[in-house]
Amino acid sequence: MKKIIVLAVESSCDETSVAIIKNGKEVLSNIVSSQIDIHKRFGGVVPEVASRHHVENITFVLDEAIKEANIQIKELTCIAVTKGPGLIGSLLIGINAAKAFAYANHLPIIGVHHIAGHIYANHLVSDLEFPLLALVVSGGHTELLYMNDHFQFETIGQTRDDAVGEAYDKVARVCHLSYPGGPEIDKRAKNGKDVYQLPRVMLDQDNYDFSFSGLKSSVINLVHNTKQRNETIHIENLARSFQESVVDILVGKTLKAIKEYPIKQLLLAGGVAANSGLRQRLKEEMEAYPGIKLIIPPLKFCTDNAAMIGVAGTFAYLKGQRDDLSLNGKASIDI
Ligand code: KG4
Ligand code: ZN
């Protein structure tokens, strides 16, 4: 294979990130500038604030990524950038920086779907082999995707309301835990017991769809009712009960899909893939399926980063995808 070096940009939410990826496999650099501390005091991402920080950070992050990779710009093959979905103001900062860089250096530009990026992060662990199933769990997405080749995404199930990461963040908020709530709940769940009875919405239904708004409302009602009775809620136990319900649902639906779809690999993708309970349970359950390889990205490639966009961008390049300077960001876009 001819040497392919991709410079990738990701700015769809609150992380400004630039990475340089060699041959879709080797991470020469992956700089992630997180705005979490800035958004923490608002309890969530404020889109205007996020855009402003992307503008301030992007050139520094880009310079640092090139410096750390220790390459010459003329060695680059192309530029890959997240085109959506995400916060439109945030996406546009990354896209315009990528376009300016591509134009100035006469490089092709390739727009990458953010979720394709999350899925291709798994290729950094092990080569993708088809057909495969990907369980995508992030702040904006919860879906089961079937792929029988590169960039052939078939959605076999998805959430009908909230994404699982969104439910984590809202439950954390009602428990007065800081943003982003997923890691906070995960941490507390480790010391708690599954004592609060919470629903497993849609788990027994004969489809691959999910629903998390009912589970979220059950937690909110439980917290409010406990408060009204002047009792205190046990945060660790609540975190554990919520996490057990989420993991039962996600793993239950995934195992159901495995029985119907003959696959070689099962991939876990998206920010919630960092969840320790989900990682652990999937590993345990998949021991019963030795013919299917379970791939889970290391934590730093689960939450938003440009390395994953660079890997997906490499495969898009190999497939012949080329965009031009009319490339635009889209807040919502099908994979
Ligand atoms: O993929 P991501 O970084 O951004 C989106 O594309 O949405 O995912 C962010 C989501 C947030 O909702 C965050 O709370 C959740 O991932 N998250 C977690 C954990 N780490 C991040 N959720 C549960 N457990 C974790 N350890
Ligand atoms: Zn993401």
Side-chain angles (χ1 to χ4, degrees), residues 10 12 114-115 118 138-139 270-271 302-304 308:
E10 154 65 38
S12 64
H114 182 75
I115 295 303
H118 275 303
S138 75
C302 288
T303 45
D304 291 348
M308 65 186 200

Side-chain angles (χ1 to χ4, degrees), residues 188-247:
R188 280 158 183 85
K190 286 182 187 140
N191 302 318
K193 291 198 187 80
D194 181 12
V195 292
Y196 293 109
Q197 303 232 320
L198 295 171
R200 268 69 174 156
V201 182
M202 294 184 70
L203 182 56
D204 53 6
Q205 284 188 17
D206 199 17
N207 56 42
Y208 304 118
D209 284 348
F210 304 92
S211 166
F212 290 100
S213 86
L215 172 61
K216 174 194 73 186
S217 302
S218 301
V219 173
I220 294 172
N221 290 341
L222 179 71
V223 171
H224 288 165
N225 292 342
T226 310
K227 214 181 267 173
Q228 270 164 1
R229 288 198 305 270
N230 263 337
E231 292 166 12
T232 46
I233 202 101
H234 191 294
I235 297 291
E236 277 80 12
N237 287 349
L238 181 61
R240 181 59 179 258
S241 306
F242 171 73
Q243 188 146 303
E244 288 296 319
S245 171
V246 166
V247 172

Side-chain angles (χ1 to χ4, degrees), residues 126-163:
S126 185
D127 286 5
L128 300 191
E129 282 177 48
F130 304 97
L132 62 79
L133 271 174
L135 173 63
V136 177
V137 281
S138 75
H141 289 77
T142 308
E143 48 213 23
L144 269 166
L145 296 174
Y146 175 78
M147 293 175 74
N148 59 19
D149 203 350
H150 283 293
F151 285 93
Q152 303 291 312
F153 303 102
E154 187 194 334
T155 307
I156 65 162
Q158 60 193 317
T159 182
R160 298 200 179 163
D161 39 57
D162 293 358

